Amino acid sequence: MQPSSPARPVGRGAKVRAAVHAAALAELVDKGYAALTVESVAQRAGVHKTTVYRRWKDRESLLTDALAEHMATDVPVPDTGSIETDLRALARSLVQAYTSPTGQAVLAAMFTGLPEAAAARRHVFDDRLVRAEPVVTRAVGRGELPADTDPGEVLKTLAAPIYLRLLVTADPVDESTADRAVHVTLAAARAGACGPAR
Amino acid sequence: MQPSSPARPVGRGAKVRAAVHAAALAELVDKGYAALTVESVAQRAGVHKTTVYRRWKDRESLLTDALAEHMATDVPVPDTGSIETDLRALARSLVQAYTSPTGQAVLAAMFTGLPEAAAARRHVFDDRLVRAEPVVTRAVGRGELPADTDPGEVLKTLAAPIYLRLLVTADPVDESTADRAVHVTLAAARAGACGPAR
Amino acid sequence: MQPSSPARPVGRGAKVRAAVHAAALAELVDKGYAALTVESVAQRAGVHKTTVYRRWKDRESLLTDALAEHMATDVPVPDTGSIETDLRALARSLVQAYTSPTGQAVLAAMFTGLPEAAAARRHVFDDRLVRAEPVVTRAVGRGELPADTDPGEVLKTLAAPIYLRLLVTADPVDESTADRAVHVTLAAARAGACGPAR
Amino acid sequence: MQPSSPARPVGRGAKVRAAVHAAALAELVDKGYAALTVESVAQRAGVHKTTVYRRWKDRESLLTDALAEHMATDVPVPDTGSIETDLRALARSLVQAYTSPTGQAVLAAMFTGLPEAAAARRHVFDDRLVRAEPVVTRAVGRGELPADTDPGEVLKTLAAPIYLRLLVTADPVDESTADRAVHVTLAAARAGACGPAR
DNA sequence: AGCTAAGCGAGACGGTACGTCACGTCTTAGG
DNA sequence: CCTAAGACGTGACGTACCGTCTCGCTTAGCT
């Protein structure tokens, strides 16, 4: 009569979930976003199609969920004592994240223009941004940057050229791209261009 | 009405082409990229589906073609005599292009992650870049920027934060966004951060 | 109550069995044969789906079992001393059995063309036939019908037009239908048409 | 030639229709009503599933349509000059129609208890009834049967025992069944039991 | 009265078929 | 000649129900 155990024993559901996530990402890398079938994901995960639909409403939500989970991996926030090396580390880790084959596929998948993905996108980026803000705050504390510097602006200035190359121009992206972004960002921030809006 | 000139290749094909293009863009704005049907485009254009397929290989090429045509509208390149006002004009025109409802739809359509769109994307951006380069060149000539400044880098630095906001974070984009981009870009360029790679 | 034949302690299984039977019939009346779900029957019986499958092999056997149980209700065999009134009573009770809403549903369910149901059908009908035969035998004894009259034939002749209307034509079936069947049957039987095959 | 707008040139649609009908009946004979798949019918007809769904709303309407078409074959109405031989011919043709393997399958399919089939059933039976009525009318004219005989009642009396055996008891049905039905019917009709209701 | 084993609730799962949608191809008429 | 009209093969979609399975809880029935 009474619910003896309030929590439901999830059983092996978690295992299925993980397997499907992994399969989805693998299929993403192999075939790309558009040519990705629920059935092939299910098969790759050793699971039946209907089981997938039991947990995810449709293809979209499966994909966004898998991507969100994938992006949730913690990114280390550097603290070298110098804003330049800190920014360099951030920029390079961003470059690395998206230049692997998997990264490319994930990137392509996240930017499909679908409104569903937009929220996930924004959330992922915001999360990383917030976590990295201390880098700038510390630099301001050390007097490396003007007092009224907006940490978010600095980090967006750092990321912007990298994303531009990844998403718009298809220029090759490597460490020199990261380094150049650092220089631009530092020059702008030191000149006070990352202060409050005017 | 008109005496049909012998061996006229055009026929009324051009009219059909334009009608389909317009219909495609209209559907894009109304329903978005994913929920866009060849049949509905054809119907909206007052044309039969098969006619569309006669002229375009598939949905993809129809869309990219329509978008390419849409983006081909000439963007005026400013020449105010000052790099700051020139850049501001460029940045603001970019912002305007993408903040209208149509612009939003076009933007979303161009960034669908599909490889077919990538080429179109790159081409459009490169084209605009090349046309805008004189702005920077002239500034260098006037001594406003260092002699070894790379015009492309300057313009990418200008565009990057705007695209970042449009595509990644969903921050509101308006004239102040454009102005801030100008400040960042100028600070960086003057500091020599847009010179050749080091 | 009853001696458990397989030497099995019945437990409360009997209660479940009855509840499911009732629920099955109720669902049959509400939704019809085709749109009847094991799960909905189980829910209506306040029992879990698995429990149903523990007792019945599949949907089919549940339904046929429930129907068989339902039909097992004893039909009183009349003995008025006259073959005409006896047959009338039989015919009218048949009509009554199938003109109630429940009767209609049961009828529809029993004639689904499925081979599984065929056996049940046949069994139910044969059973009733055998139990009613004394009616004819007694009439023969009283000299109301020829000596070589086949009781089964008489009763089938009686039932046939009623079933025809129920199953084939959708003519309304009421007491006058029963009475007409009696007249036909008596005329035929008295003329010796229900004797042995020739 | 043809008015282009109102009449649509069916093209080869008719051929598809026939092929699917034939395939449906064949599958019916092979696998029975319940285990009949739209996909297997389509495949057997050398046609794709969606094509079937383009012409028929669902499995049900496909089946009923195919059966209706199948039953539309004209049944010859005998006219031997004697009611007995006429009825015998009718009864035997009925028996023959349902004792072939195909007939069995069709019979089973027509009596699935589904309400959709009910209308078709009724229509088919009524049609045959009306066409056969002259047999009785002529006999009345010849003075073989009472003047107030209801032709429909006679024919239903004839058909009823055959359908009873086919649908309810699973007794074997052959020519002797038909002959017996004739005797019963004649005896009843001559005795005036097929007159107007009393 | 306690221990064991069956019965049951709960629900995930593999599986089959359903009916739908859009794509891109093809054939037939017609202006 | 190009177009309108529309049937078709194709493949994936998302849904519904089937019948199976495993897990604990409850409870019955023997000792």
Side-chain angles (χ1 to χ4, degrees), chain B residues 80-140:
Chain B
T80 62
S82 151
I83 183 64
E84 179 161 5
T85 46
D86 278 3
L87 289 184
R88 181 152 26 233
L90 283 174
R92 290 191 173 185
S93 88
L94 183 61
V95 164
Q96 276 191 353
Y98 288 128
T99 43
S100 69
T102 303
Q104 287 285 102
V106 168
L107 184 73
M110 293 196 69
F111 293 87
T112 47
L114 282 335
E116 299 90 337
R121 222 146 65 204
R122 185 193 165 93
H123 180 266
V124 166
F125 189 84
D126 280 4
D127 183 56
R128 299 204 165 187
L129 198 75
V130 168
R131 284 217 301 270
E133 279 183 354
V135 163
V136 181
T137 313
R138 284 192 292 260
V140 172

Side-chain angles (χ1 to χ4, degrees), chain C residues 12 22 35 57 91 114 117 133 143 155 172 182:
Chain C
R12 86 182 219 242
K57 194 182 141 288
L114 282 336
E133 280 182 353
L155 294 171
V182 172

Side-chain angles (χ1 to χ4, degrees), chain B residues 39-99:
Chain B
E39 194 133 15
S40 60
V41 169
Q43 203 165 337
R44 188 163 198 154
V47 148
H48 200 266
K49 192 176 71 158
T50 28
T51 298
V52 174
Y53 279 110
R54 252 190 293 278
R55 294 179 182 282
W56 293 274
K57 193 181 142 288
D58 54 17
R59 212 188 72 137
E60 280 308 310
S61 56
L62 165 59
L63 267 302
T64 57
D65 191 33
L67 288 173
E69 185 117 337
H70 174 78
M71 300 308 272
T73 51
D74 277 331
V75 187
V77 176
D79 184 6
T80 62
S82 151
I83 183 64
E84 179 161 5
T85 46
D86 278 3
L87 289 184
R88 181 152 26 233
L90 283 174
R92 290 191 173 185
S93 88
L94 183 61
V95 164
Q96 276 191 353
Y98 288 128
T99 43

